[in-house]
Amino acid sequence: QLQRGRDSHPSKMSAAQMKFLEEQRKKKAAETAASKPATPASKPTPLNSDSPISSEEAPKITKASDVWKFTEGSGPLGTYSVCRHSTQGTVVELWHEGSGSFSFRRATGAKVKYCSSYGSLQDEPKVCAPDAVEALDGGSGAAFRPGGVSAGGWGSGEVRSKRLVFGCSVKTRDGQEKIELVLTREGFVFVPAEGFKAVAVRNGEFMQLTRDEAKNMVKAADADPDGLGGGSN
């Protein structure tokens, strides 16, 4: 009996017995697999499944109002309508009481410059309406809508083709002349009175140019599918 006990131990099984058990195991595994319902093929999960890419989520920038946000703020010199370019970080502060003057920051972190209604420039230590600029930098602000902005002497602004235009009149030797601050898809252009230097910012880069060059740049801003263009047309 002791001998039979040792022979019944798996280590003493014959080759035929081991083959039989292996066949039984495979048969049972096959039956189990056949009894399970078929699992439908799963679709690959996109890496950004929580935020699928679509044309609605990344709208094409076709006009200035797509990228400029507005708010109002105040500073030591009075009230400002403040606007910010959402991708470049360019900021323009339209001084309500300034008779055509404004301040600007060409890009996030850049120095602030003051521009008079005649195109003269000077550096400023900081923005004029810091609370308003901070709010815009943080993502707040409203999109432009006709009648929704009141910028004092600069007016309420208007849509012209793909641009947003603010303007006012200044005194010149020949009387009164219209000046304009034009917001485009890639920056802004300040078009001064005849005989004065113009100012522009494009893609965060500041430049000074002639009045005629500024006018040509404004025209190109409408024609250029990528935004603010330059040169004479």
Side-chain angles (χ1 to χ4, degrees):
Q1 290 181 348
L2 291 173
Q3 182 64 40
R4 284 198 299 272
R6 286 195 297 269
D7 289 346
S8 66
H9 193 278
S11 63
K12 299 298 182 178
M13 292 173 65
S14 68
Q17 288 175 315
M18 294 181 67
K19 183 178 180 181
F20 173 77
L21 291 174
E22 179 64 17
E23 289 175 351
Q24 290 294 105
R25 185 189 67 78
K26 289 181 179 180
K27 182 179 178 181
K28 186 173 181 180
E31 291 174 350
T32 302
S35 65
K36 291 183 178 180
T39 303
S42 59
K43 296 181 180 180
T45 303
L47 295 178
N48 60 334
S49 58
D50 60 330
S51 181
I53 297 174
S54 72
S55 58
E56 294 179 346
E57 292 178 36
K60 183 178 180 181
I61 297 173
T62 60
K63 55 190 182 300
S65 57
D66 292 337
V67 289
W68 286 94
K69 292 292 184 68
F70 294 78
T71 191
E72 190 171 286
S74 60
L77 297 178
T79 307
Y80 298 84
S81 288
V82 187
C83 46
R84 182 185 187 274
H85 192 288
S86 60
T87 60
Q88 305 297 340
T90 304
V91 166
V92 177
E93 298 175 300
L94 299 173
W95 187 16
H96 289 199
E97 300 86 4
S99 301
S101 61
F102 65 99
S103 60
F104 66 93
R105 182 189 73 187
R106 63 176 178 80
T108 303
K111 290 182 178 180
V112 178
K113 290 184 180 294
Y114 165 84
C115 184
S116 76
S117 54
Y118 301 102
S120 61
L121 296 167
Q122 69 181 44
D123 291 337
E124 294 290 333
K126 61 181 181 179
V127 294
C128 299
D131 290 345
V133 173
E134 182 179 356
L136 289 173
D137 283 342
S140 67
F144 180 86
R145 59 181 178 80
V149 177
S150 179
W154 280 104
S156 57
E158 62 179 294
V159 177
R160 291 188 200 164
S161 188
K162 300 171 185 176
R163 299 162 272 147
L164 298 176
V165 183
F166 293 85
C168 65
S169 296
V170 296
K171 291 182 179 180
T172 66
R173 287 179 294 182
D174 299 324
Q176 294 280 331
E177 193 168 344
K178 186 86 169 179
I179 64 173
E180 292 182 339
L181 193 289
V182 183
L183 302 178
T184 70
R185 288 168 289 175
E186 291 189 0
F188 74 84
V189 184
F190 170 61
V191 183
E194 184 69 43
F196 296 95
K197 277 285 188 181
V199 172
V201 168
R202 179 187 182 187
N203 289 331
E205 295 299 323
F206 162 73
M207 62 193 82
Q208 285 185 286
L209 53 167
T210 67
R211 186 171 183 261
D212 287 342
E213 288 171 337
K215 286 186 172 182
N216 287 330
M217 185 175 282
V218 169
K219 292 178 182 177
D222 285 339
D224 183 0
D226 295 323
L228 177 62
S232 57
N233 294 332

